[in-house]
Amino acid sequence: TKYGPHMVDLTHAADWKIREPDMFKKFGARIHFDENQMVSAIYDSDTEKLVLPGDSDWEAAKMQAKVTGVSICTVREHLAQTHLMVANDSSREVVLQLHPEHPIRRLLSIFTYNSVSVNQAAAGSLIHPRCTIHRALPLDYKDGVLPLFENARITSVAYQPFPDREIKNKALKNLTENDESGF
């Protein structure tokens, strides 16, 4: 594109319903990067403007992108996908499917240790209406927080077999296609 070869599109977050729209900005941003991976432009979904470095609202656009990105990463990738999906399922299936002395179970227990307790605490304190996530973000629970969790389920590749996953990083793709891994 005109603003560089790389882009991170988080504009879908603009659809999350804000509790008090006259008090809070909508989420959503599209961040453009140049060939040196430097931010070259940011589209602010709230103002519906493309902002360039040096523009008077550049700092506000950067904050818009940061808040949207951190909210998505924290709630979607970290809480929902890592804890509530993968860690929950892994710790449950390890116990149900593998004998206590099985070497794979012993290996996986290092990674799933205390997951059940952590996830129980998270479920009680983070994800219900008027709990931490709902109060920390200006989102309506039904039309803002719940769609964020649903988006986590839809976009997760956690259970997709590795050969079926699309590799987007050029260096990693080149490494795997040319079998230069050394393994």
Side-chain angles (χ1 to χ4, degrees), residues 92-171:
R92 181 187 64 240
E93 293 305 315
V94 162
V95 170
L96 292 175
Q97 303 299 328
L98 299 173
H99 185 275
E101 297 302 317
H102 194 286
I104 301 285
R105 179 173 174 170
R106 293 174 69 192
L107 173 70
L108 291 176
S109 68
I110 296 166
F111 302 102
T112 60
Y113 176 77
N114 211 22
S115 288
V116 173
S117 301
V118 169
N119 292 344
Q120 265 185 323
S125 66
L126 295 175
I127 62 174
H128 295 292
R130 291 187 274 289
C131 283
T132 308
I133 297 294
H134 185 210
R135 293 171 61 113
L137 299 174
L139 298 174
D140 174 78
Y141 190 77
K142 181 178 173 268
D143 297 319
V145 176
L146 291 181
L148 180 53
F149 280 102
E150 178 63 13
N151 180 265
R153 186 187 66 76
I154 292 167
T155 61
S156 175
V157 295
Y159 301 112
Q160 194 177 58
F162 284 103
D164 296 345
R165 293 185 187 188
E166 180 186 355
I167 300 172
K168 295 180 181 176
N169 180 297
K170 286 182 185 177

Side-chain angles (χ1 to χ4, degrees), residues 51-76:
V51 183
L52 302 173
D55 288 354
S56 61
D57 43 359
W58 178 244
E59 292 301 317
K62 287 194 313 186
M63 183 58 73
Q64 177 79 3
K66 288 176 192 176
V67 168
T68 300
V70 166
S71 298
I72 289 172
C73 286
T74 302
V75 177
R76 186 177 75 181

